[in-house]
Amino acid sequence: MSDPVATLISRWKDDPRSTYRTWFLWDQRLKNFRSIRRGISQVVREIEAGSFGVTYRGSSLETVVGSVAEQRQIFKGADHAFLWKPKLRIPDIYENAENQRAFARLLDTCNCCSTADEVIEAIRKIDARCIKGLGPAVANLLYFIHPTLVPPFNTAIVKGFNALTGGNVKLGRWDHYLTMRSGVLKLNDTHRQQLSNDLGAIAGLLFDIGSGRYPAPPRTGDDSVLAGWETDLARVREETAAARKAWAEADAGDTTHTAMQGTLRDIGRSLDFDVWIASNDRSRSYADGVLGDGCLTEMPTSASSGLESVRLIDVVWLDRASHQIVAAFEVEHSTSIFSGIVRMLDLALGTPMASSGKLFLVAPDNRRDEVAQQVRRPAFSKVSDLGIRYLPYSQVKEHGPAIRRFGAGLKPLLEISEQL
């Protein structure tokens, strides 16, 4: 009989409801890396400057952890470990200034280092301080800094690891986390051809086992036991056939996002601007071709200053003569608004823009209040100076055709959008 773990991985990757398909291959996951890393740097800067404060709510840390927790396919509830529990005085990084600084040193060290030994040493240093309530849940932040070195960590992942390996890893302890990490790396090396250097893939597999979606293979060579497990696995596979309709419906959000990008692309080209489509979206199907048709194939270095986050902005309009950016659009159909704002900040503060350049957050009409709330976060205090504007879907759909035919410059967009 073939390797049961390899069989499980193959079935899991083919399942449209698995975390492999709904999260690991999700293009928005990649966009979150840059924004979360930038958010972590902001947390470190505020703690070092003594301006972080003594509360979680409204802090830059809440913004970062919220961006992780919004990836609900695997990180639902990731913010619970960081919420302030006043009766227990945990996690003790809000009222204890020295603990807060130690937490910042952990984040900063991992943000600046490049090797596994340095990451492990930083973890052991924070563990030695025995900060009450600050445990391996922090690994969910470190994963977005070093996805090839640090696996995510939550209850389901631990349960999945124990079920698959026969381990006895416990929650809340860094030494147990490091033991699990070693086991995860061994598993990943054994099945590297099916998985990825990015430890998010194997973490997703463990999550789906631990959450009960897949039964773990039996750790015995008994053929009858293995055959029973194969039967259970086949049942799960049969269920996936019925799930494909739901999978297609879930994809509708991406389709709407793509359609809005395409509309903004076409408006920009009609207004005689060069158009850039996010580098990871260029090959998406749209109309009779792909989103990148008729658009720039390279972002001018003079416009992006080499920042990868700028190349991930959904749609950018550039002046054809000067190559300066005149407008940038982040389409926030259903995903985190946080990451879009961070990319806008990178663009506005790290690159040259035309003096009349504008930044737009494009979102469904029912997300207007959510957009405004995110922009008002203390972590985005500089946003108000940038004049970011909210552009509702309905206005783009209603006025887009007329703007394409009769518009000139950015004036029509300013008239149908509002400054936040």
Side-chain angles (χ1 to χ4, degrees):
M1 185 174 289
S2 61
D3 179 359
V5 176
T7 300
L8 171 61
I9 294 172
S10 178
R11 302 280 179 87
W12 171 72
K13 289 175 67 176
D14 190 48
D15 181 357
R17 293 187 295 180
S18 71
T19 53
Y20 184 77
R21 298 283 294 275
T22 62
W23 176 69
F24 188 73
L25 297 183
W26 182 44
D27 63 338
Q28 292 296 321
R29 182 183 79 94
L30 299 178
K31 287 188 175 184
N32 282 325
F33 274 88
R34 170 69 184 183
S35 57
I36 290 172
R37 287 171 183 163
R38 185 178 176 89
I40 289 172
S41 296
Q42 178 69 17
V43 172
V44 172
R45 286 194 295 270
E46 290 182 7
I47 292 176
E48 290 178 343
S51 60
F52 178 84
V54 295
T55 60
Y56 175 73
R57 293 297 188 190
S59 70
S60 54
L61 179 61
E62 183 190 20
T63 302
V64 175
V65 175
S67 187
V68 174
E70 285 176 341
Q71 300 176 57
R72 300 171 65 84
Q73 304 96 322
I74 188 171
F75 290 114
K76 181 181 179 181
D79 53 342
H80 292 172
F82 295 90
L83 296 173
W84 174 235
K85 289 86 173 172
K87 292 182 180 179
L88 300 174
R89 322 307 292 179
I90 60 174
D92 196 11
I93 54 172
Y94 303 117
E95 296 182 344
N96 187 312
E98 185 53 40
N99 286 347
Q100 191 178 104
R101 286 191 288 271
F103 175 56
R105 285 195 294 272
L106 168 68
L107 298 179
D108 188 46
T109 298
C110 291
N111 217 3
C112 297
C113 73
S114 58
T115 68
D117 288 343
E118 291 171 302
V119 171
I120 292 172
E121 179 65 19
I123 288 174
R124 286 177 174 154
K125 284 183 179 179
I126 199 76
D127 186 30
R129 289 193 60 86
C130 299
I131 299 175
K132 190 164 61 172
L134 190 72
V138 177
N140 291 330
L141 298 181
L142 303 186
Y143 164 73
F144 285 93
I145 300 174
H146 291 295
T148 63
L149 302 178
V150 181
F153 182 89
N154 60 31
T155 302
I157 292 172
V158 170
K159 286 182 177 179
F161 177 81
N162 289 339
L164 190 61
T165 66
N168 190 30
V169 172
K170 292 181 173 61
L171 291 166
R173 292 183 53 174
W174 277 112
D175 57 340
H176 278 241
Y177 170 78
L178 291 176
T179 298
M180 186 191 82
R181 175 186 175 275
S182 296
V184 167
L185 290 175
K186 289 177 182 177
L187 278 170
N188 200 60
D189 285 342
T190 301
H191 300 281
R192 179 67 58 82
Q193 295 300 316
Q194 291 178 285
L195 293 168
S196 169
N197 287 338
D198 184 331
L199 297 177
I202 191 168
L205 173 66
L206 298 176
F207 179 90
D208 282 347
I209 294 172
S211 59
R213 170 126 186 91
Y214 282 97
R219 292 183 302 280
T220 175
D222 188 305
D223 287 348
S224 63
V225 175
L226 286 171
W229 171 77
E230 282 274 12
T231 300
D232 288 340
L233 195 61
R235 174 182 48 79
V236 176
R237 190 177 192 181
E238 290 171 3
E239 291 174 357
T240 66
R244 292 192 185 274
K245 181 179 179 181
W247 174 253
E249 292 173 352
D251 243 5
D254 284 342
T255 301
T256 304
H257 183 282
T258 300
M260 188 55 61
Q261 282 178 283
T263 300
L264 293 168
R265 177 200 73 177
D266 295 340
I267 293 174
R269 294 182 63 200
S270 296
L271 296 176
D272 291 326
F273 294 119
D274 279 335
V275 177
W276 168 262
I277 296 291
S279 55
N280 58 335
D281 292 336
R282 291 177 49 80
S283 60
R284 282 182 174 272
S285 297
Y286 178 71
D288 295 325
V290 295
L291 271 177
D293 289 343
C295 297
L296 295 173
T297 57
E298 294 290 339
M299 171 70 81
T301 303
S302 59
S304 67
S305 297
L307 290 176
E308 177 63 21
S309 57
V310 174
R311 297 176 70 251
L312 293 174
I313 292 176
D314 287 320
V315 182
V316 178
W317 295 352
L318 300 94
D319 182 270
R320 286 183 174 170
S322 68
H323 303 301
Q324 283 191 307
I325 294 174
V326 296
F329 304 85
E330 273 291 340
V331 181
E332 307 297 349
H333 182 74
S334 59
T335 52
S336 170
I337 294 168
F338 165 83
S339 56
I341 297 176
V342 170
R343 285 189 288 275
M344 291 294 197
L345 283 169
D346 278 349
L347 172 62
L349 302 179
T351 67
M353 285 187 65
S355 58
S356 58
K358 298 296 179 182
L359 308 176
F360 298 88
L361 288 173
V362 188
D365 295 51
N366 60 8
R367 296 196 81 187
R368 189 265 177 207
D369 292 343
E370 184 183 354
V371 171
Q373 182 181 24
Q374 290 290 331
V375 169
R376 287 195 296 265
R377 279 183 176 271
F380 295 135
S381 57
K382 294 182 179 180
V383 167
S384 59
D385 298 333
L386 304 179
I388 289 183
R389 303 181 70 83
Y390 165 61
L391 181 57
Y393 274 20
S394 63
Q395 295 296 306
V396 177
K397 292 176 181 177
E398 179 180 352
H399 299 288
I403 294 174
R404 290 182 62 183
R405 291 183 64 189
F406 308 113
L410 295 182
K411 184 177 179 181
L413 273 296
L414 300 180
E415 292 178 351
I416 64 174
S417 61
E418 62 175 291
Q419 186 165 332
L420 297 173

